[in-house]
Amino acid sequence: MKFIHYYLPGLDSKQLKQLESLFEIYKHWNSRINVISRKDMDYFYLHHVLHSLSIVKFIQFKAGTKILDVGTGGGFPGVPLAIVFPEVHFYLADSVGKKIKVINDVKEKLGLDNISTHYDRVENLEFKVDFIVCRAVATLETLINWSADRISDQQNHSIRNGFLCLKGGDLSCELSNFKNAQVVPLKEYFGEGFFETKKLVYYPLD
C-alpha cells in the first residue's frame, strides 16, 4: 500500500480501506484457484493495483462515464479503477467463469455497486461505453476487431473515446498500422524498475 499512498495521495479513507482490503480477498482466492501468479502476490500492490491505476495518471474519468474492461481476468484494471472512480460504471467481462466468480466476491465484500460483471465474450455484449480498458489481453488490432463497435459516438471528455491498454515490451510492430496510437511509458509516472518496460497505449476511435 505504500506505493498507493505515495503516488495517489488524493484518495479518501474509504477508497484506501477498500484498496487495502483487496490483498486478503485475493490471497484467499489464490489459495483455491490461480487468479494471480503465486509469486506475484508478494508484489500485489506494485504489479497489479498500481499498474492498473496508472490509467488515473493519464485521464480522470467524469461522473457517469461507462468503461468496459475486456478480458478482465481477476479484475484488473477494472476493480482498482472502480474504487478510485465510484461515480463511473465499470463493466468487467471475461469468458472464464471462475474469474468472474472472484470479481463478484470482491464486489460484494467491498460494496462496489458501480461494477457489473459479464461472463461472456466481448463480441456478444451489446451495450455502449466511453472507453475500453484492458491489461495484456490481445494485440490492438484484435481488440479493435472484437470490440470497437462497443464504443459510443457521444464524446464527454477532452480526449476522444477509445481504447486504454496496458502493455509491455516493444510495441513498434504491433502499432505500425495505428499511427494515431499514443504510447505513454509508465516510467514517466513511476520510478520503480517494474515499470521500465510498461506502457499505456491510448487509441482514439475516429
Side-chain angles (χ1 to χ4, degrees):
M1 279 293 289
K2 65 179 181 180
F3 300 110
I4 308 302
H5 285 282
Y6 182 75
Y7 286 111
L8 296 164
L11 299 179
D12 63 31
S13 58
K14 179 181 179 181
Q15 291 168 319
L16 289 171
K17 185 175 181 180
Q18 287 173 321
L19 289 169
E20 189 172 355
S21 298
L22 288 178
F23 180 80
E24 288 301 328
I25 299 173
Y26 280 99
K27 183 180 177 183
H28 164 74
W29 277 106
N30 238 33
S31 67
R32 301 172 65 183
I33 60 175
N34 190 25
V35 184
I36 293 171
S37 166
R38 298 292 200 286
K39 63 180 182 180
D40 243 14
M41 282 304 295
D42 292 337
Y43 306 96
F44 177 74
Y45 284 100
L46 183 67
H47 291 189
H48 298 281
V49 179
L50 188 62
H51 189 205
S52 298
L53 294 179
S54 58
I55 292 172
V56 178
K57 296 289 191 177
F58 182 77
I59 181 173
Q60 289 287 308
F61 297 123
K62 294 181 179 180
T65 299
K66 296 179 180 179
I67 309 291
L68 171 59
D69 182 357
V70 173
T72 186
F76 301 96
V79 167
L81 289 171
I83 291 172
V84 172
F85 295 108
E87 296 182 349
V88 172
H89 196 85
F90 289 85
Y91 302 89
L92 275 56
D94 204 280
S95 59
V96 180
K98 63 183 180 181
K99 293 185 176 180
I100 293 296
K101 185 177 181 180
V102 173
I103 299 167
N104 283 334
D105 187 53
V106 173
K107 173 186 172 180
E108 181 180 350
K109 284 186 166 70
L110 299 186
L112 297 175
D113 296 331
N114 60 330
I115 287 179
S116 298
T117 56
H118 299 269
Y119 171 34
D120 207 342
R121 296 178 63 85
V122 67
E123 301 97 311
N124 298 330
L125 304 178
E126 297 182 351
F127 50 81
K128 297 283 188 177
V129 297
D130 299 282
F131 293 94
I132 288 175
V133 300
C134 63
R135 193 171 73 137
V137 171
T139 65
L140 182 58
E141 181 177 13
T142 299
L143 287 165
I144 291 170
N145 290 337
W146 282 349
S147 56
D149 56 354
R150 300 279 74 79
I151 296 179
S152 172
D153 294 330
Q154 183 175 342
Q155 309 293 328
N156 298 306
H157 291 77
S158 59
I159 63 172
R160 293 190 65 80
N161 295 354
F163 292 84
L164 295 162
C165 307
L166 295 170
K167 292 179 171 288
D170 183 0
L171 302 175
S172 55
C173 182
E174 177 182 341
L175 300 180
S176 60
N177 294 325
F178 301 97
K179 303 304 181 185
N180 291 339
Q182 179 180 347
V183 180
V184 181
L186 296 189
K187 63 183 180 181
E188 293 184 3
Y189 300 146
F190 311 122
E192 287 69 29
F194 171 74
F195 295 103
E196 187 67 27
T197 61
K198 304 295 183 184
K199 301 173 180 74
L200 171 63
V201 177
Y202 164 59
Y203 183 72
L205 285 192
D206 296 328

